[in-house]
Amino acid sequence: MESIYWVLTWACHRRCRHCYDDRFRPYARGELGRVVDEGRRAWRAILANLPDDFSYRADDDASAPRRRGRLVLAGGELLLDGVRDELFHPVLDGIRERWGHAAPHVSVQTTGDVLEPRFIEAMLGRGVGTIAIASIDDHHVGMEGEGKFALMERVRAMMAPFGVREIALGIARDPRLESPAAREDAGGPGPFFLFFGAQPELWIGELWPRGRAWTHGLSQATYATNFCARWSGGKRFLDHDAAGSEVAIEPDGSVYPCCLKTRVALGNLTEEKLVDVLASLRGHPAFDAINDGDPERMGEAAGWSRADFRRAATQTDPTGRTMSNVCLGCDAFFAARLADDVARIRAARLAARR
């Protein structure tokens, strides 16, 4: 795989209005333990069912050199008390035990406002290669306006003693969102850190029509906004041996073709191997359409024309806005037709394993 996006827990210290999933929120005392335990029960089986060879072809030439894949660990917030030592650190240790020197490049996402030098030291000591500060936008409370720039300077000061080098995204409209040093020193070995968020120029700038972003009427995604064909969308998710491949995993092992997540999971990695799930979907017209980044085509073989898909993709959000987006069309087709296919294919896989 080129990339796997693995949400270890729903526990977060924030309840952001623009979040793509309502389950990311604060959990108190015993409730926190219960939500963290969901990930604790599943992570060992999930690791065991990820690909043995965590590398991918850089292009379509079978003889091309292979590159090391990336495993993105996220929450919620993984650095919280009750999450960090109980779940996050054991998973990092488990990754090293699973793959050794052939381990994927491990990237960790954090809001950055709870980051401390001791957390950086613990992550680097457990093999983390990139620390991504994922709150640099005006949607996060306290990061509006100048707040984000103050956080960036605090993070840079914390990273410097550990020799962690900043990577520039290279597409920020405001030059303050990138450091000149990052632009000048893009090569060389890690570890690295970077900043990103729901900025207008990024792939999630319009906000996914999901979770609290949908509830609060914050998504600006139109029908021309094809998240499926963007990074972390469904495009090439079946091509697990090639560049562009990525899937998303939830704390309980549920696996999806994109970070936005389809209406139902494709399988569960506590029960079966990821490559088996993907292989079973190859050749299905709907999943081939997602794999091509053309979700509008996904219903044609089942009697849904592109016009039918477009009509189903138009919905009214909770604020009363009429919105049209291909993700909504995908949801509608899953609910009407595809969920039953997924259940049937999954049952056949599990029967074959038994």
Side-chain angles (χ1 to χ4, degrees), residues 85-231:
D85 293 330
E86 290 78 1
L87 175 60
F88 177 42
H89 288 169
V91 169
L92 290 177
D93 294 338
I95 291 168
R96 291 194 299 178
E97 294 170 6
R98 171 76 164 86
W99 287 285
H101 294 299
H105 181 95
V106 177
S107 177
V108 173
Q109 290 186 1
T110 173
T111 57
D113 56 344
V114 298
L115 192 64
E116 297 180 21
R118 63 190 177 105
F119 299 162
I120 298 172
E121 183 176 27
M123 285 189 282
L124 298 179
R126 289 176 167 84
V128 171
T130 299
I131 301 172
I133 312 302
S135 61
I136 308 303
D137 56 54
D138 290 333
H139 294 288
H140 286 82
V141 174
M143 309 298 178
E144 309 94 328
E146 296 299 312
K148 66 177 72 65
F149 303 113
L151 174 65
M152 292 170 73
E153 291 310 308
R154 291 199 301 273
V155 169
R156 285 169 177 151
M158 279 191 280
M159 296 292 184
F162 296 100
V164 187
R165 299 169 48 242
E166 185 175 354
I167 303 172
L169 288 179
I171 56 175
R173 295 174 185 172
D174 189 325
R176 294 175 296 173
L177 293 173
E178 295 179 351
S179 73
R183 290 196 297 271
E184 296 167 3
D185 189 23
F192 306 104
F193 74 100
L194 60 90
F195 298 104
F196 79 94
Q199 302 159 19
E201 59 268 38
L202 291 182
W203 71 98
I204 53 173
E206 300 95 332
L207 294 179
W208 294 333
R210 291 287 187 272
R212 289 193 289 272
W214 177 253
T215 300
H216 295 299
L218 297 178
S219 176
Q220 300 300 318
T222 68
Y223 199 79
T225 309
N226 186 1
F227 286 121
C228 196
R230 296 183 181 183
W231 180 246

Side-chain angles (χ1 to χ4, degrees), residues 1-339:
M1 298 292 298
E2 178 173 358
S3 180
I4 290 178
Y5 188 87
W6 184 3
V7 171
L8 295 181
T9 182
W10 305 113
C12 191
H13 59 305
R14 290 175 172 267
R15 195 192 297 263
C16 297
R17 286 172 54 83
H18 76 302
C19 190
Y20 72 97
D21 198 302
D22 298 319
R23 290 171 290 183
F24 291 121
R25 62 177 178 82
Y27 294 86
R29 296 179 292 278
E31 192 179 27
L32 175 62
R34 286 191 294 274
V35 77
V36 172
D37 280 346
E38 180 182 32
R40 292 178 66 187
R41 288 191 299 268
W43 73 262
R44 291 178 179 83
I46 294 171
L47 269 187
N49 283 319
L50 295 184
D52 294 331
D53 181 359
F54 215 121
S55 66
Y56 66 97
R57 291 181 287 107
D59 56 44
D60 291 332
D61 182 357
S63 64
R66 299 185 70 84
R67 295 181 179 176
R68 182 167 62 142
R70 175 175 60 251
L71 184 55
V72 182
L73 304 180
E77 177 54 70
L78 299 177
L79 300 180
L80 297 177
D81 291 344
V83 177
R84 188 179 59 253
D85 293 330
E86 290 78 1
L87 175 60
F88 177 42
H89 288 169
V91 169
L92 290 177
D93 294 338
I95 291 168
R96 291 194 299 178
E97 294 170 6
R98 171 76 164 86
W99 287 285
H101 294 299
H105 181 95
V106 177
S107 177
V108 173
Q109 290 186 1
T110 173
T111 57
D113 56 344
V114 298
L115 192 64
E116 297 180 21
R118 63 190 177 105
F119 299 162
I120 298 172
E121 183 176 27
M123 285 189 282
L124 298 179
R126 289 176 167 84
V128 171
T130 299
I131 301 172
I133 312 302
S135 61
I136 308 303
D137 56 54
D138 290 333
H139 294 288
H140 286 82
V141 174
M143 309 298 178
E144 309 94 328
E146 296 299 312
K148 66 177 72 65
F149 303 113
L151 174 65
M152 292 170 73
E153 291 310 308
R154 291 199 301 273
V155 169
R156 285 169 177 151
M158 279 191 280
M159 296 292 184
F162 296 100
V164 187
R165 299 169 48 242
E166 185 175 354
I167 303 172
L169 288 179
I171 56 175
R173 295 174 185 172
D174 189 325
R176 294 175 296 173
L177 293 173
E178 295 179 351
S179 73
R183 290 196 297 271
E184 296 167 3
D185 189 23
F192 306 104
F193 74 100
L194 60 90
F195 298 104
F196 79 94
Q199 302 159 19
E201 59 268 38
L202 291 182
W203 71 98
I204 53 173
E206 300 95 332
L207 294 179
W208 294 333
R210 291 287 187 272
R212 289 193 289 272
W214 177 253
T215 300
H216 295 299
L218 297 178
S219 176
Q220 300 300 318
T222 68
Y223 199 79
T225 309
N226 186 1
F227 286 121
C228 196
R230 296 183 181 183
W231 180 246
S232 287
K235 188 172 183 178
R236 302 208 74 174
F237 85 100
L238 292 175
D239 304 328
H240 59 84
D241 191 47
S245 58
E246 183 181 73
V247 296
I249 306 171
E250 290 190 341
D252 69 348
S254 296
V255 62
Y256 298 85
C258 56
C259 283
L260 289 76
K261 292 180 286 191
T262 46
R263 178 60 66 93
V264 300
L266 308 181
N268 189 289
L269 300 187
T270 64
E271 301 175 323
E272 49 189 337
K273 293 185 178 297
L274 174 60
V275 293
D276 292 342
V277 174
L278 299 180
S280 72
L281 301 175
R282 174 77 69 180
H284 189 291
F287 292 109
D288 284 350
I290 293 173
N291 194 63
D292 292 340
D294 184 14
E296 190 182 75
R297 195 185 82 222
M298 63 191 298
E300 287 185 333
W304 272 40
S305 67
R306 288 179 180 267
D308 293 330
F309 186 94
R310 286 193 294 272
R311 282 191 289 271
T314 300
Q315 299 179 24
T316 301
D317 75 10
T319 69
R321 299 183 309 162
T322 298
M323 301 291 293
S324 185
N325 182 266
V326 292
C327 297
L328 302 178
C330 178
D331 289 346
F333 183 65
F334 259 85
R337 301 287 184 87
L338 199 51

